[in-house]
Amino acid sequence: MNVTRQGGGIRVPVLIASVFLTVGAACLTGCGNVASDDRAASSSGDSAVELNAGGDCAGRDVVVNRDGASIVLDGECGTVTIEANGVSADIGSSDAVLIRGQDTNVIGGRTGTLTVAGRTNSANIETVEAIEVQGNGVTVVGKQAGRISVAGSGNSITVDDSGVTTVSGNDNFVRAQEMDSLELTGSNNSVDWETGAAAPVSDSGSENRLTAPGQ
């Protein structure tokens, strides 16, 4: 590289300076676009898809946010979140179902965790790993539930077989043909089971009505 001295300083030829400016500009625009595209692709992959008209989940997380929607979700679903009111949903298989609206009815074959946070909702899912009832006036029916937790009030849960069952809310009704264990911290609940645990692990509430095996 040739440089010239002028007035005690060093002057870089205009051509070389232009090259540095061009490369720098390319890096600022091109490199930045690559990183931005990567983030966009990652964000798109992590976001849930809206299926307010139903369709194939194709392993994706799904959001239903249209009031009064009546949908059938096919295939394997990730987490299905229902944020609207008055929804009717048929979900064959899912990792989890989260109901945040109200006056919603869900039926399904299998899910990991069923969480009902809204009011006056109902769900009939055959096999559930865990049922989490956080709302009020909820009705849940199923065949198998690995774990049941009822924190709201005025709910009704009926299953064939349940594992660990915890009732911390009030004025709830829980019935199972078989129940492995039961813990009560709420009051005025009614729990009925035919086989399994002989008595609650603990009952720190008040006025709970229990019908254990043999009673």
Side-chain angles (χ1 to χ4, degrees):
M1 179 179 68
N2 295 323
V3 297
T4 58
R5 293 181 178 273
Q6 184 174 2
I10 298 177
R11 184 180 66 186
V12 180
V14 174
L15 178 60
I16 296 176
S18 176
V19 171
F20 278 111
L21 290 173
T22 302
V23 172
C27 184
L28 287 173
T29 57
C31 296
N33 284 341
V34 171
S36 177
D37 291 344
D38 288 344
R39 286 193 298 269
S42 176
S43 175
S44 176
D46 292 341
S47 61
V49 60
E50 291 183 6
L51 288 181
N52 287 319
D56 190 347
C57 290
R60 299 169 295 180
D61 293 341
V62 172
V63 171
V64 179
N65 53 18
R66 186 178 69 196
D67 288 347
S70 181
I71 63 171
V72 176
L73 296 179
D74 300 315
E76 291 290 332
C77 301
T79 297
V80 179
T81 303
I82 300 177
E83 299 180 337
N85 302 321
V87 173
S88 177
D90 185 340
I91 307 169
S93 180
S94 60
D95 292 339
V97 175
L98 171 57
I99 303 174
R100 290 177 174 162
Q102 60 186 27
D103 301 320
T104 286
N105 179 55
V106 174
I107 63 173
R110 180 205 63 81
T111 192
T113 301
L114 169 64
T115 304
V116 187
R119 295 183 293 109
T120 59
N121 296 300
S122 61
N124 189 334
I125 299 179
E126 292 187 4
T127 303
V128 184
E129 293 179 11
I131 297 174
E132 302 276 352
V133 178
Q134 303 169 356
N136 303 319
V138 171
T139 300
V140 178
V141 178
K143 290 185 177 180
Q144 294 182 336
R147 180 172 57 84
I148 298 175
S149 175
V150 186
S153 299
N155 303 297
S156 175
I157 295 89
T158 303
V159 298
D160 291 346
D161 300 323
S162 68
V164 178
T165 301
T166 304
V167 183
S168 58
N170 304 318
D171 303 304
N172 297 291
F173 172 78
V174 179
R175 188 183 192 285
Q177 292 183 8
E178 181 176 357
M179 184 180 296
D180 292 344
S181 68
L182 172 65
E183 181 177 355
L184 290 155
T185 58
S187 299
N188 201 36
N189 296 291
S190 178
V191 183
D192 178 8
W193 71 105
E194 297 180 6
T195 62
V201 173
S202 65
D203 182 0
S204 59
S206 63
E207 299 184 8
N208 291 308
R209 298 172 298 278
L210 309 178
T211 304
Q215 296 182 3

